[in-house]
Amino acid sequence: MLKPTDFPEPAIIPVNGVELEVFEAGRENEGKPIVLCHGWPEHAFSWRRLMPTLAAAGYHVIAPNQRGYGNSSRPTEVTDYDIEHLSGDLVALLDHYGYEDATFIGHDWGAFVVWGLALLHPGRVNKVINLSLPYQVRGEKPWIEAMEEFLGGDFYFVHFNRQPGVADAVFDENASQFLRNLYRKNVPPAPPEPGMAMINLARAETPRGEPVMSDSELAVYVSAFAASGFTGGINWYRNLDRNWRLLADVDPIIRQPALMIYGDQDWAIPRSENLTEFVPHVKVVGLDCGHWIQEEMPEETNQVISRWLEQQDATVRS
């Protein structure tokens, strides 16, 4: 088990009008960058078991806390968290290091950002690896509007947008309990409760299932969110309909080689039925775990990613 004290010391790097807290491994591997993009409510620390493996494989590993997280900037304007800003941060991060392009790995919301980055700045992305969240097709209706119609006002995506500040305050008041209850695996199914599920989770005194990390690892997340609050990360959700509009005129096809890793027990995020229509060069892998893939099955995640990257390198060489 990696101790939190073993994680690299961060640097604060100015990019795109903000500052990002960035963790690195394999700096000696200059010229072969790979950028790791966390999800919600996560932290660059979520990549702690992947970073040493990638560095040993010859990559310069760059893991930012994206805007709104950790000690990175937390702008107050909600629109400062749209896909143009989030992808722009990553482009500027490449510029900072002098890289034309890189391989990007995303989990959860980080995957959404990586998909969007590949659409908006295709020349800066050479390969895509995403965990949990498949490519989200831009339908006829804005995403939050469609979710509200089909899933109701208590669905947490909708609630974050329609009742701004309510969930943020509950999570801030119950940060330790919320994160403890959220980072679980093998959670037994239960009938839906009335109200907003994430708020209910934050207020639940007894966690269900099993923890996906040690108490000392969880403490890293608790400390980070106790300092930053949850609003910055939730503001990513509050830009979904804005993102839908911003992507209106963008070529919707991901043309880079891609690896999509699902958690087969992740009931919250179904597999995409038309992934290959929009990501034609994708390889799909399922692991026997839930949503927190790299936390639940770190060795298997490392193996799948390393093997795919080796195959891609072999293809380029041939």
Side-chain angles (χ1 to χ4, degrees):
M1 186 72 71
L2 179 77
K3 294 182 293 186
T5 51
D6 294 332
F7 199 60
E9 287 293 318
I12 301 296
I13 297 176
V15 296
N16 197 29
V18 296
E19 292 183 333
L20 296 185
E21 181 182 27
V22 181
F23 302 83
E24 294 177 70
R27 290 179 186 173
E28 66 277 9
N29 303 320
E30 185 178 350
K32 198 174 181 182
I34 192 163
V35 183
L36 314 182
C37 303
H38 64 78
W40 180 86
E42 289 187 296
H43 188 281
F45 186 68
S46 65
W47 300 112
R48 62 196 176 280
R49 293 187 182 89
L50 189 57
M51 292 177 71
T53 301
L54 291 170
Y59 288 91
H60 177 194
V61 187
I62 302 165
N65 270 328
Q66 296 173 87
R67 64 169 66 195
Y69 289 86
N71 291 315
S72 295
S73 297
R74 300 187 294 275
T76 56
E77 290 294 323
V78 172
T79 53
D80 284 345
Y81 297 86
D82 66 23
I83 191 61
E84 286 187 345
H85 285 87
L86 294 172
S87 63
D89 291 349
L90 299 176
V91 168
L93 194 58
L94 292 187
D95 291 342
H96 168 80
Y97 288 105
Y99 291 134
E100 181 62 31
D101 59 18
T103 297
F104 285 84
I105 304 181
H107 173 250
D108 181 80
W109 251 107
F112 184 93
V113 174
V114 170
W115 293 125
L117 174 69
L119 295 177
L120 291 168
H121 304 278
R124 309 307 297 267
V125 181
N126 58 51
K127 288 183 285 293
V128 170
I129 302 172
N130 277 328
L131 285 64
S132 296
L133 187 77
Y135 178 90
Q136 299 298 292
V137 177
R138 186 184 178 280
E140 294 182 359
K141 290 185 178 181
W143 281 304
I144 295 300
E145 185 179 325
M147 289 178 189
E148 187 169 26
E149 182 177 323
F150 288 99
L151 299 169
D154 278 334
F155 183 60
Y156 70 102
F157 279 71
V158 180
H159 190 286
F160 287 163
N161 279 270
R162 303 298 187 239
Q163 300 189 49
V166 174
D168 317 35
V170 175
F171 299 156
D172 287 348
E173 291 168 9
N174 301 277
S176 179
Q177 187 167 280
F178 174 52
L179 293 167
R180 177 202 66 181
N181 293 348
L182 184 66
Y183 281 106
R184 313 293 288 186
K185 62 182 178 180
N186 300 325
V187 177
E193 300 175 339
M196 202 271 253
M198 287 292 180
I199 289 178
N200 292 343
L201 192 67
R203 290 173 169 161
E205 295 183 1
T206 304
R208 301 169 66 239
E210 306 163 25
V212 301
M213 65 183 84
S214 69
D215 289 345
S216 63
E217 290 171 316
L218 182 63
V220 173
Y221 292 81
V222 173
S223 175
F225 282 98
S228 71
F230 287 84
T231 296
I234 293 174
N235 280 342
W236 293 29
Y237 289 86
R238 295 183 175 129
N239 279 281
L240 266 174
D241 283 358
R242 179 177 173 85
N243 294 341
W244 181 86
R245 295 180 179 92
L246 289 171
L247 295 171
D249 299 321
V250 176
D251 177 2
I253 306 301
I254 303 288
R255 305 190 185 280
Q256 296 88 342
L259 172 65
M260 178 66 218
I261 305 176
Y262 290 103
D264 289 338
Q265 299 175 32
D266 187 354
W267 313 123
I269 301 180
R271 288 196 177 209
S272 171
E273 296 180 356
N274 57 353
L275 184 63
T276 55
E277 292 180 30
F278 293 89
V279 193
H281 307 295
V282 67
K283 177 180 175 61
V284 176
V285 175
L287 293 178
D288 186 21
C289 61
H291 183 69
W292 312 110
I293 294 175
Q294 71 271 36
E295 300 279 5
E296 297 181 46
M297 300 187 76
E299 292 182 9
E300 294 82 356
T301 304
N302 270 326
Q303 290 170 4
V304 169
I305 291 174
S306 297
R307 191 178 305 122
W308 184 79
L309 287 170
E310 289 170 5
Q311 291 168 349
Q312 294 303 309
D313 287 345
T315 299
V316 171
R317 287 194 298 269
S318 63

